[in-house]
Amino acid sequence: MNLDHAVTQHRTLIVEGCDGVGRDALLAGLARRHGYTVTRASRDLPHVDPVRPYRELLQHDGALAVDAGLVGELVYGPLRRGHSRVTWIQAFDFAEAVAERDGAFVHVTAPVYVLEDRLAARGASAAALAEIDAAVTGYDHAFSTLAEHAPVLTVEERPASGGGPDPDPGHGEAAPESPVVSFARPFPRIRSPVPFAEQS
C-alpha cells in the first residue's frame, strides 16, 4: 500500500518521528496533493493538562495533518529529563480521540545511519547523536503501544539515490521507492501498560 492510497482512509493524521526524519516534506505533500490543512502543535505543553492543545486541534473541520510532538514527549522526555510530561493514560485518551475523528498516527522513520548523517550535518551535539538508537527504539515501542488505541501508519523514508534526503517522499507515480506504509507493526506486539476493554 502506498501513502497516497492510505491517506484517503483518514481525515486526521498525527505525524511524528525521531529528530532528523523528513516530516516537513511529507506534510507539504499531504497539503499539496490531498488538501490537508497542516498545523504544528506547540512544543510548550501546559503543565496541568499537556494534551489539551492536541485535543483542541482535533476540533478543526476537514482533513487535518498535525506536525505533532506528543509521542516525541513520551520518547524524548525520559531520555532528556528522566520523565515524560505526558502520561500513558493521557496518550491513550488522545489516541482514542484521533481514532474517533477517522484519524491515524503516521510514524515517520528512517535508518539510523540516515538520521545520524542528517543531524550531524545540522551541527547536532554529540549527546543528540548518541541518543538516536534509543529514540528509534522508543518510537517503535510507543507506536506499538498506541496501535492498540488508534491506527498507526509507518512511513519508512528511503534516502534519494544521491545519498541525501528525499525532498518529496511519496511524490510521483513512477517512483517505486516511495515510503512504505503498513498498518501492522513489524515487531512483536507490546501490551499496553494500562488494561483496556476489548472492543467488538
Side-chain angles (χ1 to χ4, degrees):
M1 178 183 301
N2 66 34
L3 181 60
D4 288 336
H5 174 71
V7 298
T8 63
Q9 302 175 26
H10 302 285
R11 71 183 183 110
T12 306
L13 297 174
I14 308 299
V15 179
E16 297 241 17
C18 289
D19 291 349
V21 298
R23 291 189 309 270
D24 289 343
L26 187 135
L27 288 160
L30 289 171
R32 185 177 61 253
R33 292 193 308 277
H34 301 286
Y36 278 81
T37 298
V38 174
T39 187
R40 286 172 171 73
S42 172
R43 299 299 188 227
D44 297 325
L45 299 176
H47 179 70
V48 175
D49 185 3
V51 184
R52 180 179 45 80
Y54 291 92
R55 284 195 310 270
E56 290 172 354
L57 288 173
L58 296 182
Q59 303 305 314
H60 183 279
D61 291 329
L64 176 67
V66 180
D67 182 7
L70 185 130
V71 178
E73 178 60 27
L74 291 170
V75 172
Y76 286 110
L79 286 175
R80 295 175 178 169
R81 292 186 308 279
H83 70 280
S84 172
R85 295 172 290 180
V86 175
T87 68
W88 279 105
I89 291 173
Q90 291 169 326
F92 295 157
D93 287 345
F94 177 69
E96 289 168 3
V98 168
E100 288 170 7
R101 196 183 188 278
D102 299 323
F105 287 94
V106 178
H107 175 199
V108 184
T109 187
V112 170
Y113 75 90
V114 171
L115 300 176
E116 289 173 342
D117 289 348
R118 287 182 189 169
L119 292 175
R122 296 176 191 170
S125 67
L129 294 174
E131 73 185 10
I132 292 173
D133 277 329
V136 168
T137 300
Y139 271 96
D140 286 345
H141 175 285
F143 280 115
S144 292
T145 304
L146 290 173
E148 299 286 345
H149 300 271
V152 174
L153 310 175
T154 300
V155 177
E156 184 174 315
E157 282 190 282
R158 292 197 168 85
S161 57
D166 183 353
D168 191 9
H171 181 63
E173 294 296 323
E177 292 296 314
S178 58
V180 175
V181 179
S182 72
F183 293 91
R185 305 298 296 148
F187 36 81
R189 179 178 236 160
I190 298 172
R191 283 253 176 240
S192 166
V194 177
F196 61 94
E198 298 254 345
Q199 297 185 9
S200 52

